[in-house]
Amino acid sequence: MWCTSCALAVEGSLKRLKGVREVSVHYPSATLCISGTPAAIQLSTLAPKIKRLGYRLTELEPVADAHGRLEEESRYLTLRLMVGSLFGMWTMLASLLIYAGALPSERVELVVAWVSGAFSLPVVLFAGVPFYRAGWRTLLAKRPGMDVLVSLGVIGAVMVSVWLLWRGSSEVYFDTAVMLIVLLLVGRLVETLCRHRGLKALDALALPNDDITVWQDEHWESVPVDEVMKGTRVELAPGELIALDGILEDPGWIDTASLTGESLPRHFHAGQKVYAGCRYLGTTPLVMQVSAGVGKRRLDQLCDEMRRYQAKKGELQKLADRFAAWLSPLALVLAMLTLPAVLLLGLGLEDAFVRALSVLVVACPCAVGLAVPLASLAGSGQAMQQGVALRDPAALEILAHIRSVALDKTGTLTTGSHTVLHWQAREGVDERTLQRKLSVAVAGSEHPLAQALARWAGSQGDQRPEQCLQVNDTPGEGRRVQLNSGEWLTLGSAGWLSRQQIALPAQAEEATLSFASQVVIADEVGWLASFYLTDQPVDDAETSVKRLLASGYVVAMISGDRQGAVSWLGERVGLAREACYAQRSPEAKARLLQGLPSPTLYVGDGLNDTLSLAAADVGVAPLSASEAAREGASAQLMTPGMGGVVKLLGIAKRTRRIMVQNLFFSALYNTLALGLVVLMAIPPLVAVLAMAASSLTVTLNAARLAWAESDENS
């Protein structure tokens, strides 16, 4: 597509089809979003209709193909701009000599005027062809837009100039036609570069198409990644980037930084799912079974969803489209009325044509059409660069008005893994001895609390742990371990140890830490130590919550966890006790959310949060969110922590501010310019410069957001 008029033409043509309910064409990403009956929205049904307008409709293209298309458009525009600039320069020079009166006689002026017209021909007949083609297409769709006005303006300027030359006058307007084409080509090239930059935000989700090793025909062999099917066994070499989603057949350490930004690698167990974009860090080859091939991977789905949702339009974009839709027909009517009106006022035919020409030129609604989509694309790209993937860019408008932010607890405000908050031991037991025994007691356990204790015990790096001879596990309760010295250790909950006939002294309980998870260890003498573990807040939880509160948002934490744990976390991150809601069912969460000042934003990661994500005006899924939570959210955080929520709200405010600025100034320009050009004589060249200035202003204002490096001033 060539401009927003093309997008509106496609929309108008498809809306008239039987069975189509809703159509939205997003010009910057060249994406069509359509809903209706199954028969009406088939590609085979829609493509011929679009082809009659001169466009080509295909399935959603890969990101690499979109880059290629935009690069081709850039070369196409650059070639025409070079031709327009080269020949237009001589046309402008000849016109300036005539306007300045620098030529010795009228005869010489007339010759120079003919020379000006000759140099304008390559510009008009070659550089301006895209405008004429797009104008004809929009006329076919019965939705005349900006390109119709541009085409009529160029043709009008040339015809008036030829008529003046035929009459022997050197006051020609070839420079107007040339400037109109060249300046609009500059604007279109800048737009294309902005679209290219917005598309590059998705490059973070692209993976190289390298060959990978698969088990085939009873041996390992290397095949292209796009030929690997679901269920195939794949071998991962140490340090290899995982190219496909899969389920591990063996445990191993996986670096998720390239996909999530998480700084520390994670240990994955056999049977756990890993996603393309992670890196295997083991020392021996690892085997996994492919669960999703190219095109079906989590990264592919996220990329496609983002681009599909880009076609949806917010209220500001719909307002801009309505304004642009009636502006072009209005300008045509005004131009046709200006001609007889000026003649009735007693002015000459030349003045009448010049006035009508100025109306056509000044009314081009390209700035209005670009006001919102370029800002939205820039905002979406900036959000991705800041670690937030917007599945629904239209949510940017809602995010700018958010009043309440509700947060889930576990996995959202917390890391989802426990750490030792406090410990106390039997008199005479030193920390080093306790760590040595504890490391043996929890070795090999996959229980989250046992792993947390192992991390604490392993903090003493110079210790050489003892070996165990026997391990007796009671799932969910505890375990008994026999050391190589013959000593037995018992580890588990206080209740389980009591049932094992192990007496716990009063000092084994700490009432002030009742909100924490307690683990007790005993040796053959009796109680050895008690540990209190909590799910710690993410690193930036306190900073993020305080920034939200300082910005005037109503912030609440809604959790299904115990009151003690919720209150403790709320105090840690800076929330008042009355803003922390505990022991809430999924239904109660959603009802409570609807009682907060709207519009509301909810951040949640689990299955129990899907109802709240749907009930909120905007849902955000954190990095560790479940598949169900990601499906129900409008945005997903791609980096650990809560800082992405603060960044997203700041980006949304700036994006809407730029949308409103663009829409206001472009609408003001077109309204005032049309009024002025009807009431007073404005040279066509001045009208061209004014129109081009308004379009470039809107484009550069949107680019200011796209090229922002951070949201520190939000």
Side-chain angles (χ1 to χ4, degrees), residues 29 39 50 52 64 71 122 154 158 174 292 321 371 393 461 480 602 646 654:
S29 61
I50 301 301
R52 285 196 290 272
E71 288 172 1
V154 171
V158 172
F174 293 116
D321 287 348
R480 297 191 74 233
Y602 184 80
V646 181
R654 293 200 307 276

Side-chain angles (χ1 to χ4, degrees), residues 2 27 50 57 76 121 130 153 222 226 272 310 334 433 584 595 602 695:
W2 179 246
Y27 162 64
I50 301 301
L57 183 65
Y76 178 85
L121 288 178
S222 183
D226 54 2
Q272 279 192 280
Q310 280 182 337
L334 284 176
T433 301
R584 305 284 170 155
Y602 184 80
S695 299

Side-chain angles (χ1 to χ4, degrees), residues 456-652:
W456 180 83
S459 63
Q460 200 73 19
D462 59 348
Q463 292 283 348
R464 295 190 63 183
E466 296 186 40
Q467 302 297 316
C468 61
L469 298 178
Q470 184 177 349
V471 177
N472 298 326
D473 273 316
T474 303
E477 297 282 357
R479 59 173 14 196
R480 297 191 74 233
V481 177
Q482 186 182 25
L483 307 183
N484 55 8
S485 63
E487 181 184 8
W488 282 89
L489 297 177
T490 306
L491 179 76
S493 65
W496 185 71
L497 262 69
S498 296
R499 291 194 293 274
Q500 304 301 310
Q501 309 303 317
I502 298 176
L504 300 180
Q507 68 186 95
E509 298 285 342
E510 179 59 61
T512 59
L513 298 174
S514 59
F515 60 86
S517 299
Q518 184 191 38
V519 178
V520 180
I521 184 172
D523 56 15
E524 293 178 340
V525 176
W527 173 75
L528 180 63
S530 295
F531 297 89
Y532 297 89
L533 300 93
T534 59
D535 189 359
Q536 294 290 320
V538 293
D539 292 339
D540 61 354
E542 182 179 2
T543 304
S544 299
V545 168
K546 288 183 176 179
R547 288 185 64 183
L548 291 172
L549 291 170
S551 299
Y553 296 104
V554 175
V555 183
M557 176 169 55
I558 310 175
S559 175
D561 206 352
R562 295 166 295 138
Q563 182 65 58
V566 172
S567 298
W568 173 81
L569 181 64
E571 184 178 349
R572 284 287 305 273
V573 300
L575 285 175
R577 180 176 290 270
E578 57 270 17
C580 301
Y581 302 91
Q583 296 177 306
R584 305 284 170 155
S585 66
E587 294 80 6
K589 281 186 173 185
R591 288 194 297 270
L592 182 58
L593 182 67
Q594 290 176 331
L596 295 176
S598 60
T600 56
L601 180 146
Y602 184 80
V603 188
D605 71 315
L607 287 171
N608 63 328
D609 296 308
T610 53
L611 193 59
S612 297
L613 288 167
D617 293 284
V618 177
V620 177
L623 174 63
S624 58
S626 66
E627 194 71 28
R630 287 196 296 268
E631 288 297 323
S634 300
Q636 182 179 349
L637 305 183
M638 301 298 289
T639 55
M642 291 297 300
V645 175
V646 181
K647 294 175 182 177
L648 178 60
L649 290 169
I651 290 169

